[in-house]
Amino acid sequence: MEAIAHISTAFGSKFGVPRQAGLVEELPGKIVFTEKYRNPDALRGIEGFSHLWLLWSFSEVRSTEWSPTVRPPRLGGNTRMGVFATRSPYRPNPIGLSCVKLSRVEWDSPEGAVLHILGADLMDGTPIFDIKPYLPYCDCHPEATGGFTDPLENRTLAVKFPNELLEKVPQSLREGLMGVLAADPRPRYQNDPERIYGMEFGGLNVRFRIENGTVYVTDAEQLPQEGESTDA
């Protein structure tokens, strides 16, 4: 297989990326096609669909061997489950599947036709293998059960983000960043109220700590651009 496109998101590293697509609906992203597939005819009719399936590559996974069991972070990182009973990136074939909302199609951008989406759980630059429309009549199963994930709590935290720091975040990314922090980006087994976490988001290093159900943002530093010196 070859990549047909790459996604552009605010996440420059894996930490902080939502655990599943759609958990933070406000997160914007755009899908830019490679030159070979930059043909608007390939998207004819896509604007009529509200949601899309993305098949993509876990491009940052470096493991060369597979294991029949993995340790899902949501179970504390100690309990093993079968790899095919999880959405772990450590799989025989590192392929991801995400359902995202199609916000709009930009037909005449300098990069050709571009898909603007919401709610993705992908790092910036992730290769896309395929795009398919989400079909409610066959893809939606309200009666479905979630296996071992059903009893797990989906925690929403309060977020304390000082205005002087929030102003450093581009306006278009603020709502998404607040949603990411409220969803608790830490691994479930980490719960040190004194620990300061750093998350790369929208060209910033957003630093925060979590105590008693509240996220306290402590800094938002501009990250150096590629090739830019970090010397004082």
Side-chain angles (χ1 to χ4, degrees), residues 156-215:
T156 300
L157 306 178
V159 180
K160 299 294 185 181
F161 208 133
N163 286 334
E164 65 272 18
L165 297 181
L166 187 59
E167 288 175 357
K168 297 182 179 182
V169 182
Q171 182 72 43
S172 62
L173 297 178
R174 291 178 188 176
E175 193 174 3
L177 175 56
M178 294 289 282
V180 169
L181 294 171
D184 194 350
R186 303 171 301 173
R188 182 168 286 266
Y189 50 83
Q190 292 184 0
N191 191 27
D192 180 359
E194 300 300 320
R195 179 169 179 173
I196 302 294
Y197 297 87
M199 180 176 69
E200 186 175 341
F201 186 91
L204 297 169
N205 180 21
V206 180
R207 298 174 65 81
F208 61 93
R209 66 181 185 89
I210 298 177
E211 183 177 5
N212 296 328
T214 299
V215 181

Side-chain angles (χ1 to χ4, degrees), residues 29-51:
K30 68 176 184 178
I31 296 173
V32 179
F33 291 86
T34 62
E35 187 173 354
K36 179 179 178 180
Y37 297 101
R38 200 169 287 179
N39 186 329
D41 287 341
L43 298 176
R44 188 183 303 169
I46 200 170
E47 68 273 17
F49 296 94
S50 65
H51 291 74

Side-chain angles (χ1 to χ4, degrees), residues 21-22 24-29 51 99-103 116-120:
V24 184
E25 296 180 354
E26 305 85 359
L27 278 174
H51 291 74
C99 182
V100 298
K101 183 176 182 179
L102 177 60
S103 175
H116 291 264
I117 61 167
L118 295 170

Side-chain angles (χ1 to χ4, degrees), residues 70-72 80-91 148:
V70 295
R71 295 181 291 184
R80 285 195 170 272
M81 292 290 178
V83 63
F84 300 128
T86 74
R87 297 191 177 187
S88 167
Y90 302 99
R91 324 184 66 78
F148 64 83

Side-chain angles (χ1 to χ4, degrees), residues 11 17-22 27 56 97-100 119-123:
F11 293 102
V17 175
R19 296 178 180 90
Q20 302 294 338
L27 278 174
W56 47 277
L97 176 68
S98 297
C99 182
V100 298
D121 56 341
L122 285 75
M123 277 181 56

Side-chain angles (χ1 to χ4, degrees), residues 100-170:
V100 298
K101 183 176 182 179
L102 177 60
S103 175
R104 63 186 176 93
V105 183
E106 184 181 0
W107 293 102
D108 55 356
S109 85
E111 300 163 311
V114 169
L115 301 179
H116 291 264
I117 61 167
L118 295 170
D121 56 341
L122 285 75
M123 277 181 56
D124 184 54
T126 296
I128 307 293
F129 288 142
D130 202 5
I131 300 169
K132 301 178 188 291
Y134 175 92
L135 302 177
Y137 78 90
C138 60
D139 290 343
C140 181
H141 298 279
E143 76 286 0
T145 58
F148 64 83
T149 69
D150 273 345
L152 299 180
E153 175 189 6
N154 286 318
R155 295 175 290 188
T156 300
L157 306 178
V159 180
K160 299 294 185 181
F161 208 133
N163 286 334
E164 65 272 18
L165 297 181
L166 187 59
E167 288 175 357
K168 297 182 179 182
V169 182

